[in-house]
Amino acid sequence: MIQTIRNAWKVPELRGKLLFTVFALLIFRLGAAIPVPFIDTHQLSAYMQSQSTSIFSLLNVMSGDAFAQATLFALSIQPYINSSIIIQLLTIAIPALERLQKEGGEEGKKKLAAITRYATVAIALIQAFGYYTLIHYYGLVAEGIWPAVVIVTAFVAGSAFLMWLGEQITEFGIGNGISIILFAGIVARGPAMVSTMISGVTTWASGATGETALRLHPAFIPLILAGMLLLVAFIVFMDNSERRIPVQYAKRVVGRKMYGGQSSHLPIKVNMSGVLPIIFAQTIATIPNTIGMFVPDAHVEGTGWYNFLEVFKPTGLVYSIVYFLLIVAFSYFYNTIQFNPIEVANNLKKNGGFVPGFRPGKPTSDFLSKVVSRLTMFGALYLAVVALLPTIVGNIMVALGSNAGQSLAIGGTSVIIVVGVALETVKALEAQLMMRHYKGFLE
């Protein structure tokens, strides 16, 4: 990866894209440090630390601590992700949107992008009002209509700006802008996680007790580090895994020259959808807790709402099952969108290609559908197991008496996102280097 970045830096055009991406991420981190007025951020941070197993901790991880600090980018890029999910689902349910996506061409894509932007602002407005309702209930905000308007407007404006910034990174930078912003937010919490681990060891050594004590036995540290390295290696291995279907091209004579006759292969990745199923499944699975942000009684122990949301906490069994099923469902959904066996079979037929042992046309498309279905199942199970493995390990650590396992469980989802986005960005760099026939890269 480092060598790829070095090679890209030597190309003036790619160097400009890299600098633009870095500059955009600096703006993101600057906005994540600007507090919104009229909010008591010190008490809010203390409250968020007490919610280590709730949806708030998860949102805080994805925003790079901006959520707990109530900064300008507290909502992060989540409203845009939610909007993208809704619009893509509606393109299947509403024929007009489906026609706009398939037959509208470039103009249709622009209209869908505009609809997604409007939906993002609407969702950000709802989430901002929910966040304000939460902090107002606990008396962490100044009273009055004007503070409420300023807070909600600031949160919505920050989310809309991040949406625009992500689009600019996609167009003028490297990789997918939305994924890179999400990646930067997660990575920004790295120093805080290391500090938490060190303080956990110190707490254990000092013999501190109590529910709020973060106890972490020193023997856990090498095990956690070794487990994370193995997890990263496994993610990289699975991300590069693919099924290569042999393709033979028939010979044809054009004038006095003979074309075709060569053998090739059709690569089908085990995980075609990347990290998107995890991001979207995570968003859907946290809907009950998001709704709870609007209900003050949901944060009072003993109430019906509180007991209901306890069932869906990110470290619970019900949440894990729903999360698992959603990852599998979204994997199939995105693979269906990305890979059309009928279209691939028709393209092979037009170019004189065929899969050995299968006739061109419908037999080839049926074979490709079967292969993609099997690979999707493997890819979906891989994503689900990797996403839930840290949660399982974290719960085991909690059972052994270490409260640090809660933080491990919450941070587990972010591991595959970070590794997946890093691999996708490096591949985007390599693709652009390949397009320019960069000699240093080819060697």
Side-chain angles (χ1 to χ4, degrees), residues 34 87 98 135 149 203 226 271 274 317 328 381 383 412 440:
I34 299 176
I87 297 303
E98 186 177 6
I135 57 181
V149 172
T203 303
N271 180 29
L317 178 62
V328 174
L381 291 177
L383 288 176

Side-chain angles (χ1 to χ4, degrees), residues 51-55 57-58 286 289 309-321 323 388 390-396 398 403-413:
Q51 303 293 316
S52 60
T53 60
S54 69
I55 179 61
S57 180
L58 200 57
T286 54
N289 286 279
L309 294 180
E310 275 293 299
V311 176
F312 287 94
K313 65 180 182 180
T315 55
L317 178 62
V318 175
Y319 177 89
S320 299
I321 294 175
Y323 190 32
L388 291 174
T391 301
I392 297 172
V393 175
N395 288 333
I396 293 175
V398 171
N403 291 341
Q406 298 174 346
S407 300
L408 179 65
I410 291 295
T413 306

Side-chain angles (χ1 to χ4, degrees), residues 366-384:
D366 292 341
F367 169 71
L368 293 177
S369 298
K370 186 182 298 184
V371 171
V372 170
S373 178
R374 291 176 178 175
L375 289 180
T376 302
M377 176 54 70
F378 279 107
L381 291 177
Y382 143 71
L383 288 176

Side-chain angles (χ1 to χ4, degrees), residues 27-303:
I27 294 177
F28 163 61
R29 291 310 303 161
L30 179 63
I34 299 176
V36 174
F38 304 113
I39 299 177
D40 189 346
T41 56
H42 296 290
Q43 292 189 22
L44 178 61
S45 298
Y47 170 75
M48 289 299 175
Q49 288 180 1
S50 66
Q51 303 293 316
S52 60
T53 60
S54 69
I55 179 61
F56 306 130
S57 180
L58 200 57
L59 292 174
N60 192 40
V61 169
M62 295 302 165
S63 64
D65 261 344
F67 188 81
Q69 300 294 331
T71 63
L72 189 60
F73 294 157
L75 299 183
S76 188
I77 207 67
Q78 293 295 330
Y80 182 82
I81 295 175
N82 297 343
S83 174
S84 299
I85 295 173
I86 294 172
I87 297 303
Q88 291 196 29
L89 292 176
L90 289 179
T91 54
I92 299 177
I94 301 177
L97 291 177
E98 186 177 6
R99 287 194 302 269
L100 194 64
Q101 183 185 40
K102 293 183 177 180
E103 303 172 5
E106 192 64 30
E107 191 65 26
K109 292 180 180 179
K110 290 182 180 179
K111 290 182 179 179
L112 282 177
I115 295 174
T116 304
R117 294 189 192 101
Y118 290 130
T120 299
V121 174
I123 293 174
L125 185 62
I126 296 173
Q127 291 187 352
F129 179 75
Y131 194 16
Y132 170 77
T133 302
L134 171 69
I135 57 181
H136 181 267
Y137 175 78
Y138 286 100
L140 305 177
V141 62
E143 297 290 340
I145 298 298
W146 176 245
V149 172
V150 171
I151 292 171
V152 173
T153 303
F155 286 154
V156 174
S159 182
F161 179 79
L162 279 186
M163 173 186 64
W164 175 84
L165 189 64
E167 292 177 349
Q168 299 306 305
I169 294 176
T170 302
E171 185 175 357
F172 301 107
I174 298 292
N176 185 290
I178 304 302
S179 299
I180 289 178
I181 289 177
L182 192 62
F183 169 87
I186 296 173
V187 171
R189 280 186 53 85
M193 293 175 65
V194 174
S195 176
T196 301
M197 186 177 295
I198 295 174
S199 63
V201 175
T202 305
T203 303
W204 183 285
S206 63
T209 57
E211 294 183 358
T212 59
L214 184 65
R215 297 169 58 83
L216 181 65
H217 194 278
F220 280 131
I221 294 181
L223 293 177
I224 292 173
L225 295 178
M228 291 185 66
L229 289 176
L230 290 175
L231 186 62
V232 170
F234 179 65
I235 292 171
V236 174
F237 172 77
M238 290 298 296
D239 192 79
N240 293 327
S241 300
E242 61 184 18
R243 167 79 181 272
R244 296 183 177 182
I245 298 177
V247 177
Q248 184 74 33
Y249 287 91
K251 296 180 180 180
R252 53 195 177 117
V253 178
V254 180
R256 295 184 178 182
K257 293 184 179 180
M258 180 178 293
Y259 296 91
Q262 74 271 21
S263 298
S264 182
H265 66 269
L266 179 65
I268 301 179
K269 296 182 67 64
V270 174
N271 180 29
M272 286 190 289
S273 53
V275 299
L276 289 178
I278 287 184
I279 297 175
F280 292 168
Q282 176 190 10
T283 304
I284 299 298
T286 54
I287 284 180
N289 286 279
T290 304
I291 295 175
M293 294 173 62
F294 296 89
V295 184
D297 291 342
H299 312 289
V300 180
E301 293 188 16
T303 61

